[in-house]
Amino acid sequence: MLSITWIWVLQVVITTTRSENPTPIGPCASLCSSRNFCGCSSMNLKHFPTGLPSGIQYLDLSNNNIYQITGNDLKAYVQLKILLLQSNEIKTINDDAFNSSRNLEHLDLSYNNLTALLFSWFEPLSSLKVLNLQGNYYRTLGTNPLFTRLPSLKYFRFGNPYFLAIENHPFEGITDLELLELEAINLNSYQNGSLSTFKKITHMVINVKQDSLFSILGDIINSVTWLEIRNADFKSPKSVAGMDVLIPSVVQKLTLRNVSLTDNSVLTFIEVSNRYIHVLELDIEECTLYGTGQAGKVVFTGPGSIRVVTIRSLLIPDFFLFSDLHFLYTLPVNMISVTCVDTKVFLVPCEVSRSFKSLQYLDLSNNLLLDLPLKFSFCHGVGGEAWPMLRTLNLSRNSLNHLGSVGEYLSEQKYLTSLDISQNNFASQMPPVCHWPKTLTNLNISMCQITRINSCIPTTLEMLDVSSNALSTFAVRLPQLKELYIAKNKLMRLPSAADLPYLISLTISTNSFNGFSEEELEPFANLRALDARDNNYRCSCSFLSFIHNHKSVSGMLTGWPTDYVCDSPSSMRGIQVEDAHLPLIWCHQTLIVSLICSVVLFVGIISVVLCYKYHAIWYAQMIWVWLKAKRKPIKVSMKEICYDAFVSYSERDSEWVENIMGHELENANPPLKLCIHKRDFVPGKWIIDNIIDSMEKSRKTLFVLSEYFVQSEWCKYELEFSHFRLIDENNDTVILILLEPIDKETIPKRFCKLRKIMNTKTYLEWPLEESQQHIFWFNLRAALQSENFPTSTRTDPLL
């Protein structure tokens, strides 16, 4: 029991010690991603890194200084599938280095310092599919088969400039390959039958000495379907004659890359290839032709099997002396596709064009074709049919200048459907009418410096590419168009849907338009794909509302939502359109303005109603009159007093005022002078000014009160002004005459001044009995002649 306790304590101590000293994480481990990928390339590592996640499946250690692989370097990484070790300094690999790598599928050991290859390295790699051993220093593959335990291998590259011999059947165990690449430019020993163990090689690349080439070809003629020969010297006709070994082969595609040719060797190769049975495709890539096109007569035995010819980047040192290849005029070709890219073609003679009677695809891009030579290449105006079955033509990256001329020269093509004339210079004005092949459906005129599109464009098109030009508008009716590519222009709005009724796909990325609306998109009834990325989107309320409320639109946008970013307003700049939201007040300004106007109108109506009910207008008029009187610069002096009293009365009481009171007071002894407006107001003077001036020139103001008085507007002015005068001058000048009893309810509430004066001042009441009238006149004359109001016959307030 005690021993068990001590063992448990010892385990705890060891565990604690380990937890306190964890394995340090190296710089490579810090670069490992959560997807089991460790990219540790170009880190100057000299050893395998430690501390990597045990579950990694992809490890890139290329371009370091690792010089060996030990038995423990890969022991912990049993799930590893891809291991890249190219461009290191590996010299030694332990026998058990890959024992734990049974799941490894891709191993790259190229461009290291391996001087020999061992069977023990490859024995555990039963899952290996890709193996690259190129660029090392081994000279042979050894005396024993190395790859018998690699049944899954599909891609195999081996060899180096120092590789000398292939012997003893080193490829036993491998039967089928997708790719076999052999680099052995100094190979001097090849044992016949070494490559015969392969049953099928889809693509084989051979880079060997001329002496060994045809021996190797003899072993693989029944297994390789695509043969690629690199860096061969085919300058002499004799060196090319050996290619007849492929006549009975199963090779379907033949590629010559970086091969040297001459006029005569080309002639010999044409004669040999004309006898091939199964070769359908011929590629000539980055080759050099030493000659001027002067060759003898070709002897043809038949049309041959080759249907597709591709020539790319052909270098002709004496190009300026090159002829027109007249020996090809009678070439009995049966090709359906010819590609001549970057070969300095400036003219295809009409006779050659006529000989390609079955040609359907022609690519003459990146050459030196001009408008006029194109005319002769297509036999325009000289009779005969050039390429009578041609369907697809690529003339991009040449020196064509006139779009109308190009269309005219091609107009006699009966089957041409696709034309690529991009990257030419069609900056000159397009003619209003152009002639095109009636069958043309696809046209590419991108990157041609076009500034305006007109009806020169054929109306038969189903696909049009005008990208990367300088178009600011697109207004051409194309009733059959289904695809339009108009990216990288200067458009500020979408094309009209009326001109493109059947459009299905529209690419309008990288232009200058700032959005689209429902009115613009809805007419495109057939539109299914819209690429409008990288535009200067103005995230307005209408645009954002349209995008957010129509999910079907965002669903057909290519690159949504990452590539759709607001450019304005400034507060939204850099925000994805999907995430942009403007304040409510920005997006409903009309509604808010309407609401404010409605509120203002409602308040105005309420104010008018209240003003009418409480006579605010009348009070405002009174204040205006008072202010006007207050602004009078000179106060009337006593010398300017002209009247004993100003009489304020209703027009309906004028008979009593003028005939009774006027006669009684003005004929009294001494007489009193009254100011009666009908008689004494100055004609032509504003009535308000007449009232103010007359009241200021009178010692007293006499109000003749009646039911008619309280209904008169002018009496209101006179009453108000007399009240202001009483307050401002502290002068009691008001005399009230009650002509008839006034009921309290008949006095409007706005006559608060009248109510106040009648409650605070005594007044004279006109008696109906004649016996009392002489007392009334006596008191009235006394009141008018004195400074203070005399004692009245009635002093009780009316109200």
Side-chain angles (χ1 to χ4, degrees):
M1 182 71 179
L2 183 62
S3 61
I4 295 175
T5 303
W6 277 107
I7 292 173
W8 179 81
V9 171
L10 182 61
Q11 288 177 340
V12 171
V13 171
I14 293 173
T15 303
T16 304
T17 304
R18 287 180 177 178
S19 62
E20 292 177 352
N21 299 281
T23 302
I25 298 177
C28 179
S30 63
L31 298 176
C32 295
S33 69
S34 59
R35 298 183 178 180
N36 300 320
F37 174 89
C38 291
C40 305
S41 176
S42 304
M43 297 183 65
N44 294 320
L45 300 176
K46 294 184 179 181
H47 306 279
F48 258 76
T50 58
L52 302 179
S54 59
I56 60 170
Q57 298 180 8
Y58 187 115
L59 178 59
D60 184 359
L61 296 173
S62 60
N63 296 291
N64 283 292
N65 298 317
I66 300 172
Y67 60 89
Q68 68 173 346
I69 306 176
T70 68
N72 295 322
D73 288 339
L74 297 170
K75 193 173 184 180
Y77 313 123
V78 295
Q79 299 183 36
L80 193 64
K81 292 184 177 181
I82 299 177
L83 178 60
L84 305 181
L85 290 166
Q86 67 268 29
S87 302
N88 276 277
E89 298 179 4
I90 299 173
K91 294 181 180 179
T92 59
I93 300 177
N94 289 7
D95 291 346
D96 58 348
F98 299 109
N99 283 353
S100 60
S101 302
R102 299 188 181 277
N103 292 316
L104 196 65
E105 297 179 357
H106 187 145
L107 176 61
D108 194 337
L109 291 169
S110 60
Y111 301 100
N112 279 281
N113 298 326
L114 299 173
T115 56
L117 304 177
L118 300 179
F119 172 77
S120 59
W121 301 348
F122 310 110
E123 184 181 9
L125 304 179
S126 58
S127 300
L128 198 65
K129 297 179 180 179
V130 180
L131 176 61
N132 191 345
L133 298 173
Q134 287 181 326
N136 284 276
Y137 294 101
Y138 53 86
R139 295 176 181 270
T140 67
L141 295 178
T143 57
N144 297 316
L146 300 175
F147 314 111
T148 56
R149 301 296 180 88
L150 302 178
S152 302
L153 194 65
K154 296 299 179 184
Y155 299 87
F156 183 31
R157 292 180 172 90
F158 75 98
N160 55 72
Y162 311 98
F163 194 76
L164 298 178
I166 298 177
E167 51 192 6
N168 298 325
H169 306 284
F171 303 107
E172 290 184 359
I174 307 175
T175 57
D176 297 338
L177 286 177
E178 295 293 329
L179 171 66
L180 175 61
E181 184 172 342
L182 169 60
E183 180 186 359
I185 57 175
N186 291 309
L187 186 71
N188 54 27
S189 175
Y190 176 78
Q191 184 176 349
N192 290 334
S194 295
L195 290 171
S196 60
T197 56
F198 292 105
K199 295 181 179 179
K200 179 182 178 182
I201 304 175
T202 302
H203 182 192
M204 183 172 183
V205 180
I206 302 177
N207 183 7
V208 298
K209 289 179 66 175
Q210 200 78 13
D211 298 339
S212 305
L213 174 62
F214 301 113
S215 297
I216 295 175
L217 293 182
D219 282 350
I220 52 91
I221 60 173
N222 295 319
S223 57
V224 176
T225 55
W226 177 7
L227 176 63
E228 181 174 341
I229 300 174
R230 294 183 180 177
N231 304 314
D233 185 356
F234 286 165
K235 293 181 181 179
S236 66
K238 183 179 179 180
S239 62
V240 179
M243 293 294 292
D244 60 0
V245 70
L246 298 178
I247 293 175
S249 72
V250 298
V251 174
Q252 298 179 11
K253 182 176 181 179
L254 175 61
T255 299
L256 304 180
R257 188 180 301 275
N258 196 24
V259 172
S260 300
L261 300 164
T262 61
D263 289 340
N264 292 326
S265 65
V266 168
L267 196 63
T268 302
F269 181 75
I270 292 175
E271 293 176 346
V272 171
S273 61
N274 188 245
R275 291 182 286 156
Y276 288 157
I277 300 174
H278 297 105
V279 178
L280 300 175
E281 297 183 46
L282 173 63
D283 289 354
I284 301 176
E285 308 273 353
E286 300 172 1
C287 295
T288 303
L289 175 60
Y290 296 95
T292 59
Q294 301 293 332
K297 186 176 181 180
V298 183
V299 178
F300 298 108
T301 59
S305 63
I306 297 177
R307 295 293 180 269
V308 179
V309 175
T310 301
I311 304 175
R312 296 181 185 274
S313 302
L314 179 65
L315 176 62
I316 306 175
D318 296 328
F319 170 75
F320 60 96
L321 297 174
F322 207 77
S323 68
D324 62 355
L325 296 175
H326 59 276
F327 64 92
L328 296 177
Y329 286 2
T330 57
L331 183 65
V333 293
N334 200 23
M335 299 175 191
I336 60 174
S337 174
V338 172
T339 299
C340 293
V341 178
D342 191 20
T343 57
K344 295 184 174 59
V345 174
F346 61 90
L347 174 66
V348 179
C350 178
E351 290 80 357
V352 175
S353 302
R354 290 171 178 169
S355 64
F356 287 83
K357 297 185 181 299
S358 302
L359 194 68
Q360 298 180 19
Y361 179 92
L362 176 61
D363 186 349
L364 296 175
S365 59
N366 197 19
N367 283 291
L368 304 176
L369 289 171
L370 297 170
D371 293 334
L372 188 58
L374 184 67
K375 176 180 180 180
F376 296 111
S377 297
F378 280 83
C379 306
H380 182 72
V382 297
E385 290 184 289
W387 299 298
M389 301 299 295
L390 189 64
R391 285 171 168 77
T392 302
L393 175 63
N394 190 341
L395 298 175
S396 62
R397 291 180 292 168
N398 278 278
S399 300
L400 305 176
N401 298 113
H402 300 285
L403 187 63
S405 299
V406 173
E408 181 70 24
Y409 302 152
L410 303 179
S411 61
E412 296 178 3
Q413 297 297 313
K414 297 179 180 180
Y415 300 100
L416 186 65
T417 58
S418 298
L419 174 63
D420 186 349
I421 47 176
S422 61
Q423 300 186 59
N424 284 281
N425 186 1
F426 297 124
S428 58
Q429 187 72 23
M430 288 186 186
V433 178
C434 298
H435 299 283
W436 296 92
K438 296 180 181 180
T439 55
L440 192 64
T441 58
N442 298 347
L443 177 62
N444 187 344
I445 49 175
S446 60
M447 302 178 67
C448 290
Q449 304 181 44
I450 297 174
T451 58
R452 184 175 176 271
I453 292 287
N454 60 14
S455 55
C456 176
I457 302 299
T459 58
T460 58
L461 293 182
E462 295 181 3
M463 190 285 292
L464 174 62
D465 189 346
V466 288
S467 303
S468 302
N469 283 292
L471 299 176
S472 57
T473 59
F474 186 92
V476 181
R477 180 163 178 79
L478 300 172
Q480 301 181 41
L481 196 70
K482 297 178 180 179
E483 299 179 38
L484 175 60
Y485 301 88
I486 197 168
K488 297 182 180 179
N489 280 279
K490 299 179 181 179
L491 296 181
M492 301 185 68
R493 59 181 303 165
L494 294 176
S496 172
D499 294 333
L500 311 169
Y502 293 102
L503 195 65
I504 297 176
S505 176
L506 173 60
T507 299
I508 195 169
S509 58
T510 319
N511 274 275
S512 300
F513 76 98
N514 51 33
F516 37 83
S517 63
E518 184 175 4
E519 292 75 15
E520 291 178 306
L521 279 182
E522 187 176 6
F524 288 100
N526 300 302
L527 192 63
R528 298 292 178 269
L530 175 61
D531 186 349
R533 295 175 287 182
D534 302 323
N535 281 285
N536 300 325
Y537 286 105
R538 183 171 65 86
C539 291
S540 62
C541 296
S542 58
F543 175 64
L544 293 179
S545 175
F546 174 63
I547 288 295
H548 294 161
N549 296 330
H550 293 76
K551 299 301 181 182
S552 59
V553 174
S554 58
M556 70 177 180
L557 291 175
T558 304
W560 177 267
T562 306
D563 299 324
Y564 296 80
V565 179
C566 296
D567 182 67
S568 63
S570 57
S571 59
M572 296 285 106
R573 184 168 297 158
I575 299 177
Q576 291 183 7
V577 173
E578 184 184 44
D579 300 329
H581 297 279
L582 290 173
L584 182 64
I585 192 172
W586 284 25
C587 297
H588 300 282
Q589 292 182 1
T590 303
L591 178 62
I592 291 175
V593 170
S594 300
L595 182 61
I596 292 175
C597 292
S598 299
V599 171
V600 170
L601 180 61
F602 177 75
V603 171
I605 293 173
I606 295 298
S607 300
V608 170
V609 172
L610 292 175
C611 289
Y612 178 78
K613 183 176 181 180
Y614 295 102
H615 314 289
I617 297 176
W618 187 81
Y619 286 116
Q621 291 174 335
M622 293 300 101
I623 293 173
W624 168 250
V625 172
W626 177 67
L627 292 175
K628 183 175 178 64
K630 288 283 289 182
R631 289 198 301 270
K632 292 182 70 70
I634 301 175
K635 187 177 180 180
V636 178
S637 63
M638 293 301 297
K639 294 180 179 181
E640 296 178 346
I641 297 297
C642 301
Y643 306 101
D644 290 298
F646 171 78
V647 183
S648 177
Y649 62 96
S650 173
E651 186 66 27
R652 295 190 179 187
D653 298 326
S654 60
E655 183 178 354
W656 184 87
V657 171
E658 297 171 3
N659 296 333
I660 299 176
M661 187 182 70
H663 179 270
E664 182 68 30
L665 296 181
E666 290 184 339
N667 293 325
N669 187 17
L672 297 173
K673 189 174 183 180
L674 302 178
C675 179
I676 299 173
H677 63 263
K678 185 180 294 186
R679 181 186 66 193
D680 298 317
F681 275 8
V682 178
K685 195 173 185 179
W686 191 34
I687 191 168
I688 292 293
D689 291 335
N690 267 319
I691 292 172
I692 294 173
D693 291 343
S694 298
M695 293 182 74
E696 288 183 344
K697 293 179 180 180
S698 303
R699 288 189 305 108
K700 301 287 185 177
T701 301
L702 183 60
F703 289 96
V704 179
L705 303 180
S706 67
E707 291 289 344
Y708 300 124
F709 181 90
V710 297
Q711 296 175 9
S712 173
E713 292 293 330
W714 294 117
C715 292
K716 300 170 193 174
Y717 288 120
E718 294 164 356
L719 181 64
E720 285 293 326
F721 183 72
S722 66
H723 181 67
F724 294 140
R725 183 180 179 189
L726 173 64
I727 295 174
D728 293 344
E729 301 177 8
N730 196 21
N731 185 10
D732 192 0
T733 61
V734 177
I735 300 174
L736 301 180
I737 298 176
L738 189 61
L739 191 60
E740 61 183 358
I742 301 177
D743 186 7
K744 175 182 177 181
E745 298 301 327
T746 61
I747 302 176
K749 292 182 180 180
R750 62 180 181 276
F751 268 86
C752 57
K753 302 297 182 183
L754 178 59
R755 291 169 177 262
K756 183 176 180 181
I757 293 174
M758 295 183 70
N759 282 330
T760 57
K761 293 180 65 67
T762 54
Y763 55 87
L764 296 172
E765 186 175 358
W766 170 250
L768 297 177
E769 297 84 359
E770 293 185 6
S771 59
Q772 296 180 3
Q773 290 178 359
H774 69 280
I775 299 174
F776 171 81
W777 296 119
F778 174 80
N779 288 334
L780 181 55
R781 286 192 297 270
L784 293 173
Q785 292 173 354
S786 64
E787 293 297 330
N788 296 317
F789 194 91
T791 301
S792 173
T793 58
R794 182 175 179 176
T795 59
D796 295 332
L798 176 66
L799 302 175

